[in-house]
Amino acid sequence: MGTPGERKALIFFGVVLVLGSGVRVARAVGSDKAVEASAKAAIERQIATVDSVRKSGRKKKGRKARKPEPAIVPAIIDMDVASADEIETLRGIGPSLARRIVADRDTLGPFGSLDGLQRVKGVGPGLAQRIDSSVTFSLLPRPSTTANTRSSASKRRRKPPRGDSEN
């Protein structure tokens, strides 16, 4: 079987195992008396609440964020004076593009027409055609020289070609 030392070690571990499980059993049996009456009453109330909800068939409502009520937006939006929130209600225009449209209008002046609106990056002929029946333009656009300053400024920003410079 094994050496006398190994047998003594196995007996020792067996005794520790039996004593440990005996202590656990004693704590589990004796723990019912140690529970406070207020804790038992709280658990009973919770169980009764759950049972009553199950019997009534109601489902517990979660804490979901409520969506804000949509703002009443006019059927036709004036792109020369509308806010970003109003522009965002148009089909195909998200929050980022709406902010870009307002920023362009504030910088370069009113659009005046769908062609003027197309100067905004992200507004192409397809989107212009899609929103054509939902938009109007009430203001006159700035003269074309002002509207073209953006394209000429972008031409000036080009970096010169890299070349070998010997000094």
PDB file of all heavy atoms in Angstrom, residues 71-74 77-90 93-95 97-103 105-106 111:
ATOM      1  N   ALA A  71     -40.659  67.343 -32.695  1.00  0.00           N
ATOM      2  CA  ALA A  71     -41.095  68.726 -32.821  1.00  0.00           C
ATOM      3  C   ALA A  71     -41.982  68.860 -34.051  1.00  0.00           C
ATOM      4  O   ALA A  71     -41.800  68.170 -35.055  1.00  0.00           O
ATOM      5  CB  ALA A  71     -39.881  69.636 -32.961  1.00  0.00           C
ATOM      6  N   ILE A  72     -42.943  69.752 -33.963  1.00  0.00           N
ATOM      7  CA  ILE A  72     -43.814  69.995 -35.107  1.00  0.00           C
ATOM      8  C   ILE A  72     -43.025  70.822 -36.106  1.00  0.00           C
ATOM      9  O   ILE A  72     -42.582  71.933 -35.808  1.00  0.00           O
ATOM     10  CB  ILE A  72     -45.099  70.719 -34.675  1.00  0.00           C
ATOM     11  CG1 ILE A  72     -45.864  69.835 -33.696  1.00  0.00           C
ATOM     12  CG2 ILE A  72     -45.942  71.074 -35.884  1.00  0.00           C
ATOM     13  CD1 ILE A  72     -47.061  70.512 -33.075  1.00  0.00           C
ATOM     14  N   VAL A  73     -42.812  70.244 -37.262  1.00  0.00           N
ATOM     15  CA  VAL A  73     -41.998  70.876 -38.282  1.00  0.00           C
ATOM     16  C   VAL A  73     -42.900  71.226 -39.458  1.00  0.00           C
ATOM     17  O   VAL A  73     -43.747  70.430 -39.857  1.00  0.00           O
ATOM     18  CB  VAL A  73     -40.875  69.921 -38.744  1.00  0.00           C
ATOM     19  CG1 VAL A  73     -40.010  70.565 -39.801  1.00  0.00           C
ATOM     20  CG2 VAL A  73     -40.037  69.506 -37.555  1.00  0.00           C
ATOM     21  N   PRO A  74     -42.724  72.408 -40.028  1.00  0.00           N
ATOM     22  CA  PRO A  74     -43.552  72.757 -41.173  1.00  0.00           C
ATOM     23  C   PRO A  74     -43.299  71.804 -42.334  1.00  0.00           C
ATOM     24  O   PRO A  74     -42.241  71.210 -42.449  1.00  0.00           O
ATOM     25  CB  PRO A  74     -43.122  74.184 -41.519  1.00  0.00           C
ATOM     26  CG  PRO A  74     -41.844  74.407 -40.804  1.00  0.00           C
ATOM     27  CD  PRO A  74     -41.799  73.445 -39.667  1.00  0.00           C
ATOM     28  N   ILE A  77     -39.610  73.549 -45.571  1.00  0.00           N
ATOM     29  CA  ILE A  77     -38.592  74.175 -44.737  1.00  0.00           C
ATOM     30  C   ILE A  77     -37.819  75.187 -45.565  1.00  0.00           C
ATOM     31  O   ILE A  77     -37.360  74.883 -46.665  1.00  0.00           O
ATOM     32  CB  ILE A  77     -37.655  73.104 -44.150  1.00  0.00           C
ATOM     33  CG1 ILE A  77     -38.449  72.195 -43.229  1.00  0.00           C
ATOM     34  CG2 ILE A  77     -36.482  73.740 -43.424  1.00  0.00           C
ATOM     35  CD1 ILE A  77     -37.681  71.043 -42.668  1.00  0.00           C
ATOM     36  N   ASP A  78     -37.668  76.387 -45.024  1.00  0.00           N
ATOM     37  CA  ASP A  78     -36.896  77.435 -45.685  1.00  0.00           C
ATOM     38  C   ASP A  78     -35.430  77.232 -45.326  1.00  0.00           C
ATOM     39  O   ASP A  78     -35.014  77.481 -44.194  1.00  0.00           O
ATOM     40  CB  ASP A  78     -37.383  78.818 -45.231  1.00  0.00           C
ATOM     41  CG  ASP A  78     -36.731  79.943 -46.003  1.00  0.00           C
ATOM     42  OD1 ASP A  78     -35.804  79.676 -46.787  1.00  0.00           O
ATOM     43  OD2 ASP A  78     -37.159  81.098 -45.819  1.00  0.00           O
ATOM     44  N   MET A  79     -34.637  76.781 -46.264  1.00  0.00           N
ATOM     45  CA  MET A  79     -33.237  76.448 -46.018  1.00  0.00           C
ATOM     46  C   MET A  79     -32.388  77.676 -45.722  1.00  0.00           C
ATOM     47  O   MET A  79     -31.297  77.550 -45.185  1.00  0.00           O
ATOM     48  CB  MET A  79     -32.652  75.689 -47.211  1.00  0.00           C
ATOM     49  CG  MET A  79     -33.314  74.352 -47.459  1.00  0.00           C
ATOM     50  SD  MET A  79     -33.113  73.208 -46.096  1.00  0.00           S
ATOM     51  CE  MET A  79     -31.466  72.636 -46.394  1.00  0.00           C
ATOM     52  N   ASP A  80     -32.864  78.864 -46.063  1.00  0.00           N
ATOM     53  CA  ASP A  80     -32.083  80.078 -45.816  1.00  0.00           C
ATOM     54  C   ASP A  80     -32.208  80.575 -44.378  1.00  0.00           C
ATOM     55  O   ASP A  80     -31.417  81.407 -43.946  1.00  0.00           O
ATOM     56  CB  ASP A  80     -32.514  81.188 -46.780  1.00  0.00           C
ATOM     57  CG  ASP A  80     -32.063  80.905 -48.212  1.00  0.00           C
ATOM     58  OD1 ASP A  80     -31.057  80.176 -48.383  1.00  0.00           O
ATOM     59  OD2 ASP A  80     -32.706  81.411 -49.151  1.00  0.00           O
ATOM     60  N   VAL A  81     -33.178  80.077 -43.614  1.00  0.00           N
ATOM     61  CA  VAL A  81     -33.364  80.546 -42.241  1.00  0.00           C
ATOM     62  C   VAL A  81     -33.596  79.409 -41.243  1.00  0.00           C
ATOM     63  O   VAL A  81     -33.665  79.655 -40.044  1.00  0.00           O
ATOM     64  CB  VAL A  81     -34.541  81.549 -42.152  1.00  0.00           C
ATOM     65  CG1 VAL A  81     -34.229  82.806 -42.911  1.00  0.00           C
ATOM     66  CG2 VAL A  81     -35.833  80.935 -42.619  1.00  0.00           C
ATOM     67  N   ALA A  82     -33.716  78.173 -41.672  1.00  0.00           N
ATOM     68  CA  ALA A  82     -34.062  77.045 -40.793  1.00  0.00           C
ATOM     69  C   ALA A  82     -32.905  76.691 -39.863  1.00  0.00           C
ATOM     70  O   ALA A  82     -31.732  76.865 -40.204  1.00  0.00           O
ATOM     71  CB  ALA A  82     -34.446  75.828 -41.623  1.00  0.00           C
ATOM     72  N   SER A  83     -33.266  76.171 -38.691  1.00  0.00           N
ATOM     73  CA  SER A  83     -32.252  75.706 -37.742  1.00  0.00           C
ATOM     74  C   SER A  83     -31.783  74.307 -38.149  1.00  0.00           C
ATOM     75  O   SER A  83     -32.396  73.638 -38.985  1.00  0.00           O
ATOM     76  CB  SER A  83     -32.840  75.660 -36.335  1.00  0.00           C
ATOM     77  OG  SER A  83     -33.810  74.643 -36.248  1.00  0.00           O
ATOM     78  N   ALA A  84     -30.697  73.863 -37.531  1.00  0.00           N
ATOM     79  CA  ALA A  84     -30.154  72.537 -37.828  1.00  0.00           C
ATOM     80  C   ALA A  84     -31.165  71.447 -37.472  1.00  0.00           C
ATOM     81  O   ALA A  84     -31.272  70.440 -38.188  1.00  0.00           O
ATOM     82  CB  ALA A  84     -28.846  72.315 -37.084  1.00  0.00           C
ATOM     83  N   ASP A  85     -31.923  71.639 -36.390  1.00  0.00           N
ATOM     84  CA  ASP A  85     -32.919  70.637 -35.994  1.00  0.00           C
ATOM     85  C   ASP A  85     -34.021  70.508 -37.042  1.00  0.00           C
ATOM     86  O   ASP A  85     -34.491  69.409 -37.331  1.00  0.00           O
ATOM     87  CB  ASP A  85     -33.530  70.984 -34.637  1.00  0.00           C
ATOM     88  CG  ASP A  85     -32.521  70.841 -33.508  1.00  0.00           C
ATOM     89  OD1 ASP A  85     -31.585  70.039 -33.656  1.00  0.00           O
ATOM     90  OD2 ASP A  85     -32.689  71.532 -32.489  1.00  0.00           O
ATOM     91  N   GLU A  86     -34.447  71.625 -37.595  1.00  0.00           N
ATOM     92  CA  GLU A  86     -35.485  71.582 -38.628  1.00  0.00           C
ATOM     93  C   GLU A  86     -34.953  70.949 -39.907  1.00  0.00           C
ATOM     94  O   GLU A  86     -35.640  70.144 -40.541  1.00  0.00           O
ATOM     95  CB  GLU A  86     -35.991  73.000 -38.922  1.00  0.00           C
ATOM     96  CG  GLU A  86     -36.759  73.622 -37.788  1.00  0.00           C
ATOM     97  CD  GLU A  86     -37.094  75.083 -38.034  1.00  0.00           C
ATOM     98  OE1 GLU A  86     -36.368  75.758 -38.783  1.00  0.00           O
ATOM     99  OE2 GLU A  86     -38.100  75.537 -37.476  1.00  0.00           O
ATOM    100  N   ILE A  87     -33.721  71.291 -40.267  1.00  0.00           N
ATOM    101  CA  ILE A  87     -33.128  70.725 -41.490  1.00  0.00           C
ATOM    102  C   ILE A  87     -32.947  69.224 -41.341  1.00  0.00           C
ATOM    103  O   ILE A  87     -33.110  68.467 -42.292  1.00  0.00           O
ATOM    104  CB  ILE A  87     -31.795  71.434 -41.806  1.00  0.00           C
ATOM    105  CG1 ILE A  87     -32.055  72.896 -42.158  1.00  0.00           C
ATOM    106  CG2 ILE A  87     -31.059  70.740 -42.929  1.00  0.00           C
ATOM    107  CD1 ILE A  87     -30.808  73.743 -42.296  1.00  0.00           C
ATOM    108  N   GLU A  88     -32.650  68.781 -40.141  1.00  0.00           N
ATOM    109  CA  GLU A  88     -32.432  67.352 -39.883  1.00  0.00           C
ATOM    110  C   GLU A  88     -33.685  66.519 -40.120  1.00  0.00           C
ATOM    111  O   GLU A  88     -33.606  65.325 -40.380  1.00  0.00           O
ATOM    112  CB  GLU A  88     -31.944  67.174 -38.448  1.00  0.00           C
ATOM    113  CG  GLU A  88     -31.458  65.797 -38.127  1.00  0.00           C
ATOM    114  CD  GLU A  88     -30.974  65.704 -36.693  1.00  0.00           C
ATOM    115  OE1 GLU A  88     -30.568  66.714 -36.124  1.00  0.00           O
ATOM    116  OE2 GLU A  88     -31.014  64.580 -36.158  1.00  0.00           O
ATOM    117  N   THR A  89     -34.853  67.128 -40.076  1.00  0.00           N
ATOM    118  CA  THR A  89     -36.090  66.370 -40.289  1.00  0.00           C
ATOM    119  C   THR A  89     -36.292  65.996 -41.747  1.00  0.00           C
ATOM    120  O   THR A  89     -37.142  65.170 -42.053  1.00  0.00           O
ATOM    121  CB  THR A  89     -37.316  67.177 -39.804  1.00  0.00           C
ATOM    122  OG1 THR A  89     -37.400  68.391 -40.550  1.00  0.00           O
ATOM    123  CG2 THR A  89     -37.223  67.470 -38.321  1.00  0.00           C
ATOM    124  N   LEU A  90     -35.529  66.588 -42.638  1.00  0.00           N
ATOM    125  CA  LEU A  90     -35.660  66.253 -44.058  1.00  0.00           C
ATOM    126  C   LEU A  90     -35.101  64.859 -44.314  1.00  0.00           C
ATOM    127  O   LEU A  90     -34.121  64.438 -43.690  1.00  0.00           O
ATOM    128  CB  LEU A  90     -34.914  67.277 -44.923  1.00  0.00           C
ATOM    129  CG  LEU A  90     -35.498  68.680 -44.919  1.00  0.00           C
ATOM    130  CD1 LEU A  90     -34.544  69.652 -45.590  1.00  0.00           C
ATOM    131  CD2 LEU A  90     -36.840  68.692 -45.622  1.00  0.00           C
ATOM    132  N   ILE A  93     -31.074  63.709 -44.587  1.00  0.00           N
ATOM    133  CA  ILE A  93     -30.163  64.648 -43.932  1.00  0.00           C
ATOM    134  C   ILE A  93     -30.075  64.288 -42.456  1.00  0.00           C
ATOM    135  O   ILE A  93     -31.072  64.296 -41.747  1.00  0.00           O
ATOM    136  CB  ILE A  93     -30.636  66.104 -44.110  1.00  0.00           C
ATOM    137  CG1 ILE A  93     -30.616  66.467 -45.588  1.00  0.00           C
ATOM    138  CG2 ILE A  93     -29.746  67.051 -43.310  1.00  0.00           C
ATOM    139  CD1 ILE A  93     -31.033  67.878 -45.895  1.00  0.00           C
ATOM    140  N   GLY A  94     -28.869  63.970 -42.029  1.00  0.00           N
ATOM    141  CA  GLY A  94     -28.638  63.627 -40.627  1.00  0.00           C
ATOM    142  C   GLY A  94     -28.123  64.828 -39.858  1.00  0.00           C
ATOM    143  O   GLY A  94     -27.982  65.930 -40.395  1.00  0.00           O
ATOM    144  N   PRO A  95     -27.796  64.617 -38.578  1.00  0.00           N
ATOM    145  CA  PRO A  95     -27.354  65.734 -37.740  1.00  0.00           C
ATOM    146  C   PRO A  95     -26.060  66.391 -38.228  1.00  0.00           C
ATOM    147  O   PRO A  95     -25.913  67.598 -38.193  1.00  0.00           O
ATOM    148  CB  PRO A  95     -27.165  65.119 -36.362  1.00  0.00           C
ATOM    149  CG  PRO A  95     -27.379  63.672 -36.490  1.00  0.00           C
ATOM    150  CD  PRO A  95     -27.905  63.373 -37.842  1.00  0.00           C
ATOM    151  N   LEU A  97     -24.782  66.527 -41.347  1.00  0.00           N
ATOM    152  CA  LEU A  97     -25.006  67.300 -42.569  1.00  0.00           C
ATOM    153  C   LEU A  97     -25.825  68.542 -42.273  1.00  0.00           C
ATOM    154  O   LEU A  97     -25.569  69.618 -42.842  1.00  0.00           O
ATOM    155  CB  LEU A  97     -25.695  66.432 -43.632  1.00  0.00           C
ATOM    156  CG  LEU A  97     -25.948  67.093 -44.989  1.00  0.00           C
ATOM    157  CD1 LEU A  97     -24.666  67.629 -45.593  1.00  0.00           C
ATOM    158  CD2 LEU A  97     -26.612  66.115 -45.937  1.00  0.00           C
ATOM    159  N   ALA A  98     -26.779  68.460 -41.377  1.00  0.00           N
ATOM    160  CA  ALA A  98     -27.587  69.631 -41.020  1.00  0.00           C
ATOM    161  C   ALA A  98     -26.706  70.718 -40.407  1.00  0.00           C
ATOM    162  O   ALA A  98     -26.837  71.902 -40.746  1.00  0.00           O
ATOM    163  CB  ALA A  98     -28.700  69.235 -40.053  1.00  0.00           C
ATOM    164  N   ARG A  99     -25.772  70.323 -39.529  1.00  0.00           N
ATOM    165  CA  ARG A  99     -24.859  71.298 -38.943  1.00  0.00           C
ATOM    166  C   ARG A  99     -23.949  71.905 -40.006  1.00  0.00           C
ATOM    167  O   ARG A  99     -23.651  73.098 -39.974  1.00  0.00           O
ATOM    168  CB  ARG A  99     -24.015  70.648 -37.839  1.00  0.00           C
ATOM    169  CG  ARG A  99     -24.791  70.398 -36.561  1.00  0.00           C
ATOM    170  CD  ARG A  99     -23.876  70.008 -35.416  1.00  0.00           C
ATOM    171  NE  ARG A  99     -23.061  68.838 -35.697  1.00  0.00           N
ATOM    172  CZ  ARG A  99     -23.398  67.584 -35.408  1.00  0.00           C
ATOM    173  NH1 ARG A  99     -24.542  67.342 -34.819  1.00  0.00           N
ATOM    174  NH2 ARG A  99     -22.589  66.590 -35.691  1.00  0.00           N
ATOM    175  N   ARG A 100     -23.511  71.083 -40.960  1.00  0.00           N
ATOM    176  CA  ARG A 100     -22.656  71.572 -42.043  1.00  0.00           C
ATOM    177  C   ARG A 100     -23.403  72.572 -42.918  1.00  0.00           C
ATOM    178  O   ARG A 100     -22.843  73.584 -43.345  1.00  0.00           O
ATOM    179  CB  ARG A 100     -22.167  70.390 -42.877  1.00  0.00           C
ATOM    180  CG  ARG A 100     -20.717  70.437 -43.121  1.00  0.00           C
ATOM    181  CD  ARG A 100     -20.097  69.301 -43.899  1.00  0.00           C
ATOM    182  NE  ARG A 100     -20.923  68.337 -44.542  1.00  0.00           N
ATOM    183  CZ  ARG A 100     -21.015  67.066 -44.176  1.00  0.00           C
ATOM    184  NH1 ARG A 100     -20.344  66.621 -43.149  1.00  0.00           N
ATOM    185  NH2 ARG A 100     -21.782  66.230 -44.832  1.00  0.00           N
ATOM    186  N   ILE A 101     -24.683  72.314 -43.170  1.00  0.00           N
ATOM    187  CA  ILE A 101     -25.490  73.223 -43.984  1.00  0.00           C
ATOM    188  C   ILE A 101     -25.636  74.569 -43.272  1.00  0.00           C
ATOM    189  O   ILE A 101     -25.455  75.626 -43.888  1.00  0.00           O
ATOM    190  CB  ILE A 101     -26.874  72.602 -44.288  1.00  0.00           C
ATOM    191  CG1 ILE A 101     -26.724  71.435 -45.261  1.00  0.00           C
ATOM    192  CG2 ILE A 101     -27.834  73.636 -44.848  1.00  0.00           C
ATOM    193  CD1 ILE A 101     -27.980  70.600 -45.448  1.00  0.00           C
ATOM    194  N   VAL A 102     -25.932  74.545 -41.990  1.00  0.00           N
ATOM    195  CA  VAL A 102     -26.094  75.788 -41.231  1.00  0.00           C
ATOM    196  C   VAL A 102     -24.767  76.546 -41.167  1.00  0.00           C
ATOM    197  O   VAL A 102     -24.730  77.768 -41.330  1.00  0.00           O
ATOM    198  CB  VAL A 102     -26.658  75.493 -39.819  1.00  0.00           C
ATOM    199  CG1 VAL A 102     -26.614  76.730 -38.943  1.00  0.00           C
ATOM    200  CG2 VAL A 102     -28.070  74.970 -39.926  1.00  0.00           C
ATOM    201  N   ALA A 103     -23.667  75.837 -40.954  1.00  0.00           N
ATOM    202  CA  ALA A 103     -22.360  76.491 -40.880  1.00  0.00           C
ATOM    203  C   ALA A 103     -22.003  77.143 -42.209  1.00  0.00           C
ATOM    204  O   ALA A 103     -21.499  78.271 -42.246  1.00  0.00           O
ATOM    205  CB  ALA A 103     -21.292  75.475 -40.478  1.00  0.00           C
ATOM    206  N   ARG A 105     -24.128  78.169 -44.513  1.00  0.00           N
ATOM    207  CA  ARG A 105     -25.036  79.301 -44.706  1.00  0.00           C
ATOM    208  C   ARG A 105     -24.600  80.496 -43.869  1.00  0.00           C
ATOM    209  O   ARG A 105     -24.620  81.633 -44.326  1.00  0.00           O
ATOM    210  CB  ARG A 105     -26.457  78.884 -44.332  1.00  0.00           C
ATOM    211  CG  ARG A 105     -27.486  79.990 -44.546  1.00  0.00           C
ATOM    212  CD  ARG A 105     -28.832  79.583 -44.031  1.00  0.00           C
ATOM    213  NE  ARG A 105     -28.800  79.455 -42.578  1.00  0.00           N
ATOM    214  CZ  ARG A 105     -29.571  78.632 -41.888  1.00  0.00           C
ATOM    215  NH1 ARG A 105     -30.435  77.855 -42.501  1.00  0.00           N
ATOM    216  NH2 ARG A 105     -29.498  78.580 -40.589  1.00  0.00           N
ATOM    217  N   ASP A 106     -24.159  80.241 -42.628  1.00  0.00           N
ATOM    218  CA  ASP A 106     -23.711  81.334 -41.774  1.00  0.00           C
ATOM    219  C   ASP A 106     -22.409  81.952 -42.287  1.00  0.00           C
ATOM    220  O   ASP A 106     -22.184  83.145 -42.115  1.00  0.00           O
ATOM    221  CB  ASP A 106     -23.528  80.843 -40.336  1.00  0.00           C
ATOM    222  CG  ASP A 106     -24.848  80.471 -39.682  1.00  0.00           C
ATOM    223  OD1 ASP A 106     -25.911  80.853 -40.212  1.00  0.00           O
ATOM    224  OD2 ASP A 106     -24.816  79.784 -38.635  1.00  0.00           O
ATOM    225  N   PHE A 111     -28.493  80.443 -49.454  1.00  0.00           N
ATOM    226  CA  PHE A 111     -28.308  79.610 -50.644  1.00  0.00           C
ATOM    227  C   PHE A 111     -29.057  80.169 -51.844  1.00  0.00           C
ATOM    228  O   PHE A 111     -28.531  80.212 -52.943  1.00  0.00           O
ATOM    229  CB  PHE A 111     -28.766  78.169 -50.374  1.00  0.00           C
ATOM    230  CG  PHE A 111     -28.046  77.543 -49.226  1.00  0.00           C
ATOM    231  CD1 PHE A 111     -28.702  77.259 -48.046  1.00  0.00           C
ATOM    232  CD2 PHE A 111     -26.703  77.242 -49.308  1.00  0.00           C
ATOM    233  CE1 PHE A 111     -28.040  76.684 -46.983  1.00  0.00           C
ATOM    234  CE2 PHE A 111     -26.028  76.668 -48.250  1.00  0.00           C
ATOM    235  CZ  PHE A 111     -26.703  76.389 -47.079  1.00  0.00           C
TER     236      PHE A 111
END
